[in-house]
Amino acid sequence: MRVCVVGGGAGGVELAAAVRYRLEEERRRSGWSTDRASAAVSLLCRGDLLPGHPPHVRRLVRQLLAQRGVEVRSGDAVTGVRPRELLLHSGERVPYDECLWCTEASPAPWLSQTGLPTDPLGFLSINDKLQSDGGPPEVFASGDVATCSSSPRPKAGVFAVRQGPPLTHNLRAFLDEEPLRPFVPQTTALALISLGDRFCVASRTGVSGGSRPTRRRPGGRERARGGHSAGRRSDAVEEEGDEWLLGWILNGLGGLFINVTGPLLWRWKDTIDRAFMRRYGEDLQAST
């Protein structure tokens, strides 16, 4: 079997590693051949692996994927898909039995039909109050559907999740004709990248421009100088709660030059993710 995963971001890396791990587990349980070539996993990306992450993390993850039997093919975009075959920009053809897509976010086609202002990529353009930037003031948006004109951020959950509390506040404030609260996004993000076999790599990414300096405090609050709190505590976003300590360690040890990895880090990530999902479910039940 040959499995191809298209997309070289953190999601693609985790998906390819998880597939590799699951295939190995199934082979051991079923008594299949242990030859890795019998179940090849390839990760294809048009640019470099893990764009936006520190170079030492990209090198480390590439090395760890190779050790786990995941082939990384970078710098060659997928330009076409045929039954059991991918076409690359270089002209090469890559056969597959299963193909999984985990590429970057793209705007929904209907957004262009709304008449609302959009950014050059087609996402809704919003201001720092999460309102349509140049459109009707009663239109609000958050998450991957929109881009903040004054402080654009990657389409990632660590940024989107923090827009929830200020969005809730501003919707109520708008209806009550009260002042709206600006949303101040964080300038860095802490990614915990799982490599399938209960092993994790920590990566600290930075975002250039667009936001005022922030100061961190234990307990999960972020406050911009002269601004407002970015929202209530969340166990699943960068430097909130348990993750604050790891972010502090990466900063204190010169985060761009050290590798923080291992099974204990994976357990930490698993605990954080499960706690977040439990609370998310509780919030859903409370609202129904």
Side-chain angles (χ1 to χ4, degrees):
M1 173 182 287
R2 184 178 182 90
V3 180
C4 287
V5 177
V6 181
V13 168
E14 289 194 327
L15 184 57
V19 169
R20 173 78 265 173
Y21 177 69
R22 180 60 182 268
L23 289 175
E24 291 289 336
E25 288 294 297
E26 290 296 324
R27 186 157 51 242
R28 281 195 289 266
R29 292 172 185 171
S30 304
W32 298 349
S33 167
T34 57
D35 182 7
R36 287 181 180 270
S38 64
V41 178
S42 297
L43 178 61
L44 295 84
C45 42
R46 64 182 179 185
D48 200 359
L49 186 70
L50 291 175
H53 290 260
H56 80 285
V57 172
R58 297 201 300 267
R59 291 192 298 268
L60 174 64
V61 170
R62 183 183 287 268
Q63 176 185 351
L64 293 173
L65 287 175
Q67 292 174 359
R68 287 158 173 75
V70 176
E71 176 194 23
V72 177
R73 304 169 68 103
S74 57
D76 201 356
V78 175
T79 57
V81 183
R82 294 178 178 175
R84 298 188 177 277
E85 187 178 63
L86 295 176
L87 306 180
L88 305 186
H89 182 266
S90 63
E92 186 178 357
R93 300 183 179 187
V94 180
Y96 68 86
D97 296 298
E98 297 290 343
C99 183
L100 304 174
W101 290 81
C102 194
T103 55
E104 62 184 351
S106 59
W110 62 266
L111 292 176
S112 62
Q113 303 171 12
T114 63
L116 296 171
T118 59
D119 71 358
L121 296 178
F123 295 98
L124 292 181
S125 182
I126 57 175
N127 59 26
D128 64 347
K129 310 298 192 305
L130 306 181
Q131 290 174 297
S132 176
D133 189 8
E138 65 271 17
V139 175
F140 290 78
S142 66
D144 288 357
V145 74
T147 298
C148 187
S149 303
S150 60
S151 53
R153 292 293 185 269
K155 304 300 182 185
V158 292
F159 299 107
V161 71
R162 288 192 174 185
Q163 294 180 337
L167 176 63
T168 301
H169 174 275
N170 287 348
L171 288 173
R172 292 172 175 167
F174 183 82
L175 293 175
D176 293 337
E177 298 183 348
E178 296 178 353
L180 304 186
R181 176 184 301 171
F183 169 66
V184 182
Q186 68 268 41
T187 57
T188 61
L190 177 62
L192 302 177
I193 305 171
S194 174
L195 291 180
D197 52 353
R198 300 192 174 188
F199 188 93
C200 198
V201 175
S203 175
R204 187 175 181 80
T205 63
V207 180
S208 60
S211 179
R212 289 171 291 177
T214 58
R215 56 178 179 266
R216 306 284 182 179
R217 296 181 295 175
R221 291 284 186 177
E222 174 190 89
R223 184 174 296 276
R225 296 189 179 102
H228 297 274
S229 172
R232 65 186 179 91
R233 187 177 184 274
S234 171
D235 293 322
V237 296
E238 180 264 337
E239 290 195 358
E240 294 280 346
D242 294 334
E243 293 190 27
W244 181 89
L245 176 60
L246 183 55
W248 180 83
I249 292 174
L250 286 174
N251 271 347
L253 297 179
L256 294 179
F257 307 102
I258 65 169
N259 295 324
V260 180
T261 66
L264 290 179
L265 187 61
W266 181 89
R267 291 183 181 276
W268 196 357
K269 170 183 170 63
D270 187 59
T271 299
I272 293 170
D273 290 347
R274 289 179 183 274
F276 175 73
M277 293 306 297
R278 282 196 300 269
R279 196 192 64 193
Y280 185 65
E282 291 169 0
D283 288 348
L284 279 180
Q285 294 173 6
S287 64
T288 57

